[in-house]
Amino acid sequence: MDLKELLYSKIDQLGVDYIKTKIKGNIQNSEYIIKRLLEECASSSELRNLTNSDYLELAEGLLHYLLAITITPSQRKININNIEVSILVPGARDLRINTDKVIIIQFLKADKIEYDQTIRELLKIQPTLNNIWLVSYYPMVTMVPLKNFVIDGESIKNKDIVQPFSKVLIEINDFLDRTNYTGFRII
């Protein structure tokens, strides 16, 4: 069983309607849903010992799924200036209009040299530091202070810019509220 199949089997076990109802009822419930699904995948007997990269792949697939079911405006795996961006919220059109109203969520699966280069490239397309969010397995030290969502929540020391990945959907929702996003969304 591959990681995507594993993730979707755990989503089915938890229940698609249950997930939608919990999150629609209160966005804060997304923290529990994300934690639970990642834990279920990690403890699954279908796979042995997930690597850090496996966790990042699961987290990215899970976030894509949650953005889709909550009808959160976003674009996934988009290429901007020859840089593959993991997720843009709300989207590339908005990035051209006002960079303050767009976040880039970048999943960093490579080594430090590659992610330093990726960050330099992201800064060229999104100059607002607060609007570049990195997802990594462990907290990252970067050349500039960027918000970092971490899958291994036990390793978080500085809670100012480092947060558990389980809070990412809550933060996306808060961002859209703060920027007065007026497009369609259900959360």
Side-chain angles (χ1 to χ4, degrees):
M1 176 177 287
D2 73 2
L3 291 172
K4 186 175 180 180
E5 290 172 347
L6 174 64
L7 175 62
Y8 280 93
S9 75
K10 298 303 177 185
I11 287 169
D12 288 342
Q13 285 175 9
L14 188 55
V16 174
D17 290 336
Y18 172 81
I19 293 168
K20 286 180 183 177
T21 302
K22 292 296 274 183
I23 293 174
K24 189 174 179 186
N26 184 345
I27 190 65
Q28 300 295 321
N29 290 331
S30 67
E31 183 175 7
Y32 165 77
I33 298 292
I34 291 170
K35 279 182 186 176
R36 178 148 177 209
L37 286 169
L38 287 178
E39 286 169 3
E40 293 278 331
C41 288
S43 65
S44 174
S45 61
E46 282 90 16
L47 294 175
R48 295 187 190 250
N49 300 333
L50 295 175
T51 65
N52 295 356
S53 182
D54 291 340
Y55 277 105
L56 285 162
E57 191 174 325
L58 284 168
E60 186 171 10
L62 179 55
L63 186 54
H64 288 185
Y65 172 78
L66 293 172
L67 291 170
I69 68 162
T70 58
I71 312 176
T72 301
S74 61
Q75 285 182 287
R76 297 161 192 95
K77 296 208 183 253
I78 183 169
N79 196 308
I80 301 173
N81 299 343
N82 295 320
I83 305 161
E84 186 176 292
V85 175
S86 302
I87 299 173
L88 279 173
V89 175
R93 182 182 65 95
D94 302 285
L95 190 61
R96 288 188 298 272
I97 297 168
N98 184 350
T99 59
D100 289 341
K101 294 194 175 211
V102 178
I103 52 175
I104 291 175
I105 302 171
Q106 191 71 22
F107 286 78
L108 296 175
K109 301 171 191 165
D111 61 24
K112 179 162 177 38
I113 294 168
E114 285 185 47
Y115 71 67
D116 281 344
Q117 178 61 31
T118 299
I119 291 167
R120 277 193 286 282
E121 297 297 325
L122 292 175
L123 289 167
K124 291 177 187 174
I125 58 175
Q126 175 49 285
T128 307
L129 292 181
N130 291 335
N131 292 10
I132 298 175
W133 298 0
L134 306 175
V135 180
S136 58
Y137 188 79
Y138 293 116
M140 299 180 53
V141 176
T142 56
M143 61 189 128
V144 292
L146 299 172
K147 188 175 260 193
N148 185 198
F149 290 92
V150 176
I151 294 171
D152 179 18
E154 300 297 315
S155 63
I156 297 173
K157 304 286 186 270
N158 174 0
K159 298 206 186 280
D160 292 334
I161 61 173
V162 179
Q163 296 186 34
F165 176 73
S166 58
K167 293 184 181 257
V168 71
L169 201 59
I170 296 166
E171 290 294 315
I172 291 169
N173 188 64
D174 289 350
F175 173 83
L176 292 171
D177 286 346
R178 278 192 314 276
T179 59
N180 296 316
Y181 179 77
T182 57
F184 182 73
R185 62 189 179 127
I186 63 168
I187 58 171

